[in-house]
Amino acid sequence: MCEISSGQSLRIIAITNQKGGVGKTTTAINLAAALAELNKKILLVDIDPQGNASTGLGIDENQRMQTTYDLLFNKRALDSVISQSSVENLFVIPSNMTMSFADVELMEQKKRSFLLRQVLRQEKMKTLGFNFIFIDCPPSLNLMTVNAMVAAHAILVPLQSEFFALEGLSQLILTVREVRKTGNQNLRIDGILLTMFDRRNNLSHQVAEDVRKTLGELVFKTVIPRNVRLSEAPSHAMPVLTYDTHSSGAKAYRDLANEFLEIHAHQ
């Protein structure tokens, strides 16, 4: 449960890409942890039925008595669904397989695209003192992902440094444009984050060059390296910043946190 603190403005960021295996959940966990390390109070909302972000932040399956599903469809209070993670200043609304029924439940709702927005932008949220809310989306452009975009102020898109990196991104951008027309006209793209970057591989450098040429300043300066510690950390139920604080993966996410804060300082 969260302690109550004075109200303040907060930003909601959806971390999304309909392709799986691009480092989406890894980014959600480690960017959130890096910001928490900088004394920002962070809430991570897990809407992926796999619940990997919840697991990676130390919320064991049998501890998830109240989940995002309960918040959305069983009308549970915010205080009852927010859990302290393994990281100071970082809280989680966990997910589990019940979220796989969310799209069916949403079909029966009149304002099916606005449910997550209603709960995350409610007045009660302002009293909890969070600086940022991150939404870890499922790897698809389903109704829950659209809900995340309608709820968010901005999206952050992890993009794997591989040959087909830009494939599918056009569909995501079209979805963002549609959401702007129908549910959230102020939705912006915070940035595209290159992940799994291998500095020894010429292809990674070529992909990065192509992505920057195509998307320009939308691409974060920070790139996330392919790093074995990043892969190992979730199995130990902790961010890489805790698992191996001196690893290249931990350094990259600290760099990203600073770049992210710089972007939001000018908004």
Side-chain angles (χ1 to χ4, degrees):
M1 187 173 295
C2 272
E3 63 181 57
I4 305 299
S5 61
S6 59
Q8 57 181 281
S9 63
L10 65 117
R11 301 284 291 174
I12 303 172
I13 314 295
I15 299 180
T16 184
N17 188 323
Q18 73 268 31
K19 288 185 72 174
V22 298
K24 177 182 55 61
T25 297
T26 298
T27 294
I29 291 170
N30 290 294
L31 176 56
L35 289 167
E37 192 177 74
L38 294 172
N39 295 317
K40 302 299 180 185
K41 190 173 181 182
I42 309 297
L43 175 64
L44 194 154
V45 182
D46 192 350
I47 64 170
D48 188 340
Q50 297 175 89
N52 290 336
S54 307
T55 303
L57 285 170
I59 312 295
D60 193 69
E61 182 74 37
N62 59 22
Q63 295 177 296
R64 301 174 207 177
M65 306 305 292
Q66 304 290 339
T67 66
T68 307
Y69 185 91
D70 295 297
L71 177 67
L72 293 173
F73 303 109
N74 295 331
K75 308 303 179 187
R76 296 290 188 265
L78 275 171
D79 283 6
S80 70
V81 298
I82 297 176
S83 300
Q84 169 72 59
S85 78
S86 58
V87 177
E88 187 179 358
N89 294 325
L90 176 49
F91 299 81
V92 182
I93 302 180
S95 178
N96 57 23
M97 286 306 296
T98 57
M99 279 302 293
S100 61
F101 302 111
D103 268 32
V104 176
E105 296 273 7
L106 286 169
M107 290 302 294
E108 300 173 3
Q109 304 279 337
K110 284 186 178 179
K111 291 193 170 184
R112 61 178 65 95
S113 298
F114 290 82
L115 202 58
L116 190 59
R117 183 186 179 102
Q118 288 168 0
V119 297
L120 294 186
R121 296 205 188 192
Q122 63 179 282
E123 285 299 310
K124 174 69 173 176
M125 187 63 82
K126 294 178 182 177
T127 70
L128 297 176
F130 292 110
N131 298 108
F132 295 100
I133 298 173
F134 290 103
I135 307 170
D136 185 36
C137 298
S140 61
L141 289 176
N142 61 11
L143 270 174
M144 275 311 306
T145 299
V146 171
N147 259 261
M149 290 184 183
V150 172
H153 297 99
I155 67 167
L156 189 156
V157 185
L159 199 67
Q160 188 175 353
S161 301
E162 62 174 14
F163 186 69
F164 293 112
L166 292 170
E167 189 178 90
L169 191 60
S170 57
Q171 182 58 51
L172 180 64
I173 291 172
L174 285 173
T175 304
V176 170
R177 287 175 181 166
E178 189 61 30
V179 168
R180 284 173 179 158
K181 291 178 187 174
T182 59
N184 185 1
Q185 64 179 0
N186 296 317
L187 180 66
R188 64 189 299 278
I189 300 176
D190 256 3
I192 311 294
L193 176 68
L194 286 165
T195 62
M196 303 179 192
F197 186 87
D198 187 347
R199 297 185 187 282
R200 301 164 300 177
N201 188 327
N202 288 335
L203 178 61
S204 284
H205 290 279
Q206 184 62 55
V207 168
E209 185 179 331
D210 290 347
V211 171
R212 293 188 191 281
K213 189 181 297 182
T214 304
L215 298 167
E217 292 185 359
L218 268 183
V219 186
F220 283 101
K221 295 182 181 69
T222 304
V223 297
I224 307 302
R226 189 175 290 278
N227 175 236
V228 67
R229 295 306 198 196
L230 277 173
S231 303
E232 291 172 350
S235 66
H236 296 271
M238 60 181 71
V240 72
L241 283 80
T242 307
Y243 177 64
D244 187 347
T245 191
H246 300 297
S247 65
S248 62
K251 180 185 183 304
Y253 277 108
R254 287 190 178 103
D255 290 344
L256 178 64
N258 284 310
E259 186 176 354
F260 176 87
L261 288 178
E262 188 176 331
I263 290 169
H264 283 271
H266 298 297
Q267 293 176 7

